[in-house]
Amino acid sequence: MTHVSPDLVNDIRAASRRLVREFGFLDKTIAGTDLSGSGVHAILEIGLNPGLTAKDLVARLKLEKNPPSAGCSNHWKRAAKSNRPARPPTDGPSG
């Protein structure tokens, strides 16, 4: 295994914290929208990956797994209202 300097790790972590604050990820809404950070990321993933299932979205965004469809459904509804090229995925033959 390659040795990584603890100072380098600390510098990367400090830079990451600064970016989180500077980009407003700690704010209730981000990216000039009324969406949360997870909402913005969900809309991006849905728009970039047509047919993405709720299960896959939950895994990609590391969202709470119970129940995934409730939170994801809200993101799809918001995407539709924002006129973004996103569509609700199906979770299989029944859904």
Side-chain angles (χ1 to χ4, degrees):
M1 178 181 267
T2 303
H3 173 73
V4 178
S5 162
D7 289 336
L8 176 61
V9 172
N10 289 334
D11 289 347
I12 291 171
R13 287 179 176 160
S16 175
R17 289 191 301 274
R18 278 193 307 274
L19 285 173
V20 163
R21 290 189 296 271
E22 288 178 22
F23 288 146
F25 286 110
L26 299 176
D27 297 340
K28 285 191 172 228
T29 62
I30 64 168
T33 70
D34 63 345
L35 299 173
S36 66
S38 65
V40 170
H41 282 270
I43 287 179
L44 287 169
E45 289 295 330
I46 293 166
L48 293 171
N49 300 285
L52 183 69
T53 66
K55 181 179 178 181
D56 290 340
L57 183 62
V58 166
R60 282 177 192 232
L61 299 181
K62 300 181 192 287
L63 298 172
E64 290 181 26
K65 295 181 181 178
N66 296 321
S69 59
C72 295
S73 177
N74 291 333
H75 294 311
W76 288 308
K77 288 175 186 174
R78 293 187 85 146
K81 286 182 182 177
S82 68
N83 295 319
R84 300 218 187 261
R87 61 180 187 203
T90 61
D91 282 327
S94 64

